[in-house]
Amino acid sequence: MPMITTATSAEVTRAGARAAVLPVGSFEQHGAHLPLTTDTLIAQAIAEAVADAYGLLLPPPITFSCSHEHGSAPGTVSISSTTLTAVIHDVAASLRRSGIPVLVLVNGHGGNYVLSNIVQEANVDGPAMTLFPGRADWTAARTEAELETDGHDDMHAGELETSILLHAHPDVVRPSWESADEGGGPRPHLLIHGMQAYTRTGVIGRPSLATAEKGKRLLDSLATLMADHLDALGLPGR
């Protein structure tokens, strides 16, 4: 499947999807071994797996988001939380007008805290939106894929993210991934000081533990876990 869908409007009509799955990534530093588009590529890979498994519409990804904690790193581009909120509100409204009332936000960047508020507000009058993967989904997928790290110690450009890209886009992973491990330790003031206070290289995690097989198992597990979210939204799985 191409990075951006090539489906026609007629094909979307015939498919009759009742929900869309929107990848939300970022454009930010991921050390020396992963590209600025890492979170977007990962969100897209998860969204593709989910869309294929459940017959959902897959719009193009949102690439710029809230990466302010990486703001001092060359190449990083951020938009404000209010801009991201407005974009998602507009996308959701547009999809509703075209007959798709439910939206799944696939978030690839941990700093997009505002997405939780967007989803919570969207569901005031009934189920209409979900945020995926949640913390419990990531934990379950890590266990299923037999990752050696947890979400705290492997926060950024580590075992999980490198594994998914080794599987989905191995050509973008630079050879230095095998020696890029860096531990960030406690990060009590991340929101104040940003990532530069806790890592020399931009990495917090152990990419040396990554494998393409782990990446495949992570994506397979997440596709299965999506069924629970669709059930909560009142949509039957395949």
Side-chain angles (χ1 to χ4, degrees):
M1 182 181 290
M3 180 65 177
I4 297 178
T5 181
T6 57
T8 67
S9 181
E11 289 166 345
V12 170
T13 299
R14 287 195 296 271
R18 297 292 293 163
V21 52
L22 177 64
V24 183
S26 74
F27 194 77
E28 66 184 35
Q29 74 81 21
H30 276 77
H33 69 287
L34 295 182
L36 293 158
T37 54
T38 289
D39 290 343
T40 301
L41 293 172
I42 289 174
Q44 180 75 15
I46 297 169
E48 286 180 1
V50 167
D52 289 345
Y54 301 101
L56 308 183
L57 176 69
L58 179 62
I62 295 175
T63 301
F64 299 129
S65 63
C66 303
S67 299
H68 304 89
E69 72 274 27
H70 301 275
S72 64
T76 296
V77 177
S78 286
I79 59 176
S80 70
S81 60
T82 53
T83 299
L84 182 57
T85 299
V87 169
I88 291 174
H89 282 167
D90 287 352
V91 170
S94 184
L95 287 168
R96 286 195 299 272
R97 285 193 295 271
S98 68
I100 300 177
V102 174
L103 182 59
V104 176
L105 301 180
V106 172
N107 181 33
H109 171 49
N112 288 333
Y113 310 115
V114 69
L115 296 182
S116 295
N117 297 104
I118 294 171
V119 170
Q120 193 172 47
E121 292 171 11
N123 293 316
V124 168
D125 295 322
M129 193 180 294
T130 191
L131 180 58
F132 183 81
R135 184 174 299 178
D137 300 311
W138 277 123
T139 298
R142 281 179 177 274
T143 299
E144 176 64 26
E146 298 183 340
L147 268 62
E148 297 182 42
T149 57
D150 61 28
H152 179 270
D153 294 336
D154 194 60
M155 173 190 177
H156 192 71
E159 180 184 16
L160 184 146
E161 292 188 319
T162 305
S163 290
I164 291 177
L165 290 188
L166 283 173
H167 167 65
H169 298 282
D171 54 309
V172 308
V173 181
R174 277 58 169 182
S176 58
W177 66 273
E178 294 178 296
S179 58
D181 292 5
E182 183 171 354
R187 299 180 288 277
H189 302 298
L190 180 64
L191 296 180
I192 298 174
H193 299 302
M195 286 283 288
Q196 66 270 18
Y198 301 104
T199 170
R200 296 174 297 103
T201 63
V203 176
I204 295 179
R206 299 188 63 191
S208 68
L209 297 174
T211 68
E213 176 59 25
K214 289 177 182 178
K216 181 180 186 304
R217 291 174 68 177
L218 282 162
L219 292 177
D220 289 346
S221 177
L222 290 170
T224 299
L225 291 164
M226 185 67 224
D228 182 63
H229 288 255
L230 295 178
D231 182 65
L233 289 165
L235 295 175
R238 281 189 172 180

